[in-house]
Short mmCIF file of all heavy atoms in Angstrom, two decimals:
data_model
loop_
_atom_site.label_atom_id
_atom_site.label_comp_id
_atom_site.label_asym_id
_atom_site.label_seq_id
_atom_site.Cartn_x
_atom_site.Cartn_y
_atom_site.Cartn_z
N ASP S 24 3.81 14.04 3.66
CA ASP S 24 4.80 15.05 3.29
C ASP S 24 4.79 15.26 1.79
O ASP S 24 5.90 15.44 1.26
CB ASP S 24 6.22 14.74 3.75
CG ASP S 24 6.26 14.66 5.31
OD1 ASP S 24 5.43 15.38 5.96
OD2 ASP S 24 7.01 13.82 5.86
N ASN S 25 3.62 15.35 1.20
CA ASN S 25 3.56 15.58 -0.31
C ASN S 25 4.39 14.60 -1.17
O ASN S 25 4.74 15.01 -2.18
CB ASN S 25 4.02 16.98 -0.68
CG ASN S 25 3.00 18.01 -0.07
OD1 ASN S 25 1.81 17.94 -0.11
ND2 ASN S 25 3.61 19.14 0.44
N PHE S 31 9.41 -2.02 -1.05
CA PHE S 31 9.21 -3.36 -1.76
C PHE S 31 10.47 -4.18 -1.24
O PHE S 31 11.59 -3.74 -1.23
CB PHE S 31 9.34 -3.17 -3.30
CG PHE S 31 8.22 -2.36 -3.73
CD1 PHE S 31 8.49 -0.94 -3.93
CD2 PHE S 31 7.13 -2.93 -4.39
CE1 PHE S 31 7.37 -0.25 -4.47
CE2 PHE S 31 6.11 -2.06 -4.84
CZ PHE S 31 6.20 -0.88 -4.89
N GLU S 32 10.15 -5.42 -1.09
CA GLU S 32 11.22 -6.39 -0.67
C GLU S 32 11.30 -7.63 -1.52
O GLU S 32 10.20 -8.11 -2.08
CB GLU S 32 10.98 -6.88 0.77
CG GLU S 32 11.05 -5.69 1.70
CD GLU S 32 11.44 -5.97 3.07
OE1 GLU S 32 11.87 -7.24 3.45
OE2 GLU S 32 11.37 -5.08 3.95
N ALA S 47 12.33 1.66 -14.08
CA ALA S 47 13.06 2.74 -14.85
C ALA S 47 12.62 2.95 -16.24
O ALA S 47 12.40 4.07 -16.76
CB ALA S 47 14.55 2.43 -14.80
N GLU S 51 10.74 6.27 -17.55
CA GLU S 51 11.21 6.97 -18.69
C GLU S 51 10.23 7.24 -19.72
O GLU S 51 10.19 8.32 -20.19
CB GLU S 51 12.44 6.23 -19.29
CG GLU S 51 13.18 6.96 -20.40
CD GLU S 51 13.89 8.22 -19.95
OE1 GLU S 51 14.03 8.40 -18.69
OE2 GLU S 51 14.21 9.06 -20.77
N ASP S 54 8.38 10.07 -18.61
CA ASP S 54 9.18 11.25 -18.23
C ASP S 54 8.98 11.68 -16.87
O ASP S 54 8.67 12.78 -16.62
CB ASP S 54 8.91 12.36 -19.25
CG ASP S 54 10.01 13.47 -19.11
OD1 ASP S 54 11.09 13.13 -18.68
OD2 ASP S 54 9.63 14.66 -19.39
N PRO S 57 11.36 8.62 -10.30
CA PRO S 57 11.28 8.46 -8.86
C PRO S 57 12.47 8.81 -8.17
O PRO S 57 13.54 8.76 -8.58
CB PRO S 57 10.76 7.03 -8.63
CG PRO S 57 11.60 6.29 -9.77
CD PRO S 57 11.46 7.23 -10.93
N TRP S 59 14.48 7.09 -5.32
CA TRP S 59 14.42 5.77 -4.77
C TRP S 59 15.83 5.36 -4.11
O TRP S 59 16.84 6.04 -4.39
CB TRP S 59 13.98 4.70 -5.75
CG TRP S 59 14.68 4.67 -7.02
CD1 TRP S 59 15.91 5.31 -7.44
CD2 TRP S 59 14.30 3.88 -8.11
NE1 TRP S 59 16.18 4.92 -8.73
CE2 TRP S 59 15.23 4.19 -9.26
CE3 TRP S 59 13.21 3.03 -8.49
CZ2 TRP S 59 15.12 3.49 -10.38
CZ3 TRP S 59 13.16 2.48 -9.63
CH2 TRP S 59 14.12 2.67 -10.70
N THR S 60 15.69 4.32 -3.34
CA THR S 60 16.99 3.73 -2.75
C THR S 60 16.85 2.25 -2.90
O THR S 60 15.78 1.65 -2.85
CB THR S 60 17.13 4.17 -1.20
OG1 THR S 60 16.13 3.53 -0.53
CG2 THR S 60 17.24 5.55 -1.07
N TRP S 69 9.86 7.02 -3.44
CA TRP S 69 9.05 8.19 -3.18
C TRP S 69 8.66 8.92 -4.53
O TRP S 69 9.55 9.07 -5.31
CB TRP S 69 9.89 9.18 -2.31
CG TRP S 69 10.27 8.68 -0.89
CD1 TRP S 69 9.54 8.92 0.21
CD2 TRP S 69 11.37 7.91 -0.68
NE1 TRP S 69 10.30 8.34 1.34
CE2 TRP S 69 11.35 7.66 0.72
CE3 TRP S 69 12.43 7.32 -1.38
CZ2 TRP S 69 12.28 6.92 1.43
CZ3 TRP S 69 13.37 6.64 -0.65
CH2 TRP S 69 13.33 6.43 0.70
N HIS S 73 7.71 17.27 -9.34
CA HIS S 73 8.57 18.53 -9.24
C HIS S 73 8.06 19.67 -9.92
O HIS S 73 8.01 20.75 -9.42
CB HIS S 73 10.04 18.11 -9.62
CG HIS S 73 10.59 16.94 -8.92
ND1 HIS S 73 10.88 17.03 -7.61
CD2 HIS S 73 10.99 15.80 -9.44
CE1 HIS S 73 11.34 15.76 -7.21
NE2 HIS S 73 11.39 14.98 -8.38
N ASP S 74 7.52 19.36 -11.14
CA ASP S 74 7.05 20.49 -12.05
C ASP S 74 5.71 21.03 -11.53
O ASP S 74 5.17 22.09 -11.99
CB ASP S 74 6.95 20.11 -13.51
CG ASP S 74 6.12 18.85 -13.75
OD1 ASP S 74 5.66 18.27 -12.75
OD2 ASP S 74 5.90 18.61 -14.89
N ILE S 78 4.42 18.10 -5.17
CA ILE S 78 3.30 17.59 -4.54
C ILE S 78 2.79 16.33 -5.31
O ILE S 78 3.34 16.00 -6.37
CB ILE S 78 2.02 18.63 -4.60
CG1 ILE S 78 1.60 18.99 -6.03
CG2 ILE S 78 2.38 19.90 -3.92
CD1 ILE S 78 0.33 19.72 -6.26
N LYS S 82 -0.09 12.02 -12.12
CA LYS S 82 1.02 11.44 -12.71
C LYS S 82 1.77 10.46 -11.63
O LYS S 82 2.18 9.42 -12.13
CB LYS S 82 2.07 12.55 -13.16
CG LYS S 82 2.94 12.21 -14.21
CD LYS S 82 3.70 13.41 -14.64
CE LYS S 82 4.61 13.07 -15.94
NZ LYS S 82 5.33 14.36 -16.29
N ASP S 83 1.81 10.91 -10.53
CA ASP S 83 2.40 10.07 -9.48
C ASP S 83 1.49 8.82 -9.16
O ASP S 83 2.04 7.62 -9.04
CB ASP S 83 2.57 10.76 -8.04
CG ASP S 83 3.42 12.00 -8.30
OD1 ASP S 83 4.56 11.84 -8.67
OD2 ASP S 83 2.93 13.11 -8.09
N ARG S 84 0.27 9.02 -9.14
CA ARG S 84 -0.74 7.81 -8.96
C ARG S 84 -0.58 6.86 -10.07
O ARG S 84 -0.62 5.65 -9.84
CB ARG S 84 -2.10 8.40 -8.77
CG ARG S 84 -2.24 9.14 -7.53
CD ARG S 84 -3.66 9.60 -7.15
NE ARG S 84 -3.88 10.76 -6.43
CZ ARG S 84 -3.42 11.07 -5.19
NH1 ARG S 84 -2.68 10.17 -4.54
NH2 ARG S 84 -3.57 12.19 -4.63
N LYS S 88 0.78 2.95 -9.85
CA LYS S 88 -0.06 1.79 -10.31
C LYS S 88 0.75 0.82 -11.28
O LYS S 88 0.77 -0.33 -11.27
CB LYS S 88 -1.41 2.16 -11.02
CG LYS S 88 -2.40 2.71 -10.05
CD LYS S 88 -3.64 3.18 -10.71
CE LYS S 88 -4.64 3.68 -9.59
NZ LYS S 88 -5.75 4.41 -10.20
N ASP S 91 3.15 -1.07 -9.06
CA ASP S 91 2.51 -2.19 -8.39
C ASP S 91 2.25 -3.30 -9.45
O ASP S 91 2.48 -4.46 -9.10
CB ASP S 91 1.10 -1.73 -7.83
CG ASP S 91 1.36 -0.95 -6.56
OD1 ASP S 91 2.40 -1.14 -5.96
OD2 ASP S 91 0.37 -0.32 -6.21
#
Side-chain angles (χ1 to χ4, degrees):
D24 299 327
N25 293 320
F31 297 87
E32 296 204 12
E51 187 64 18
D54 192 29
W59 55 8
T60 62
W69 295 265
H73 305 292
D74 57 351
I78 61 170
K82 202 172 189 181
D83 303 298
R84 295 185 207 300
K88 287 178 183 175
D91 284 341

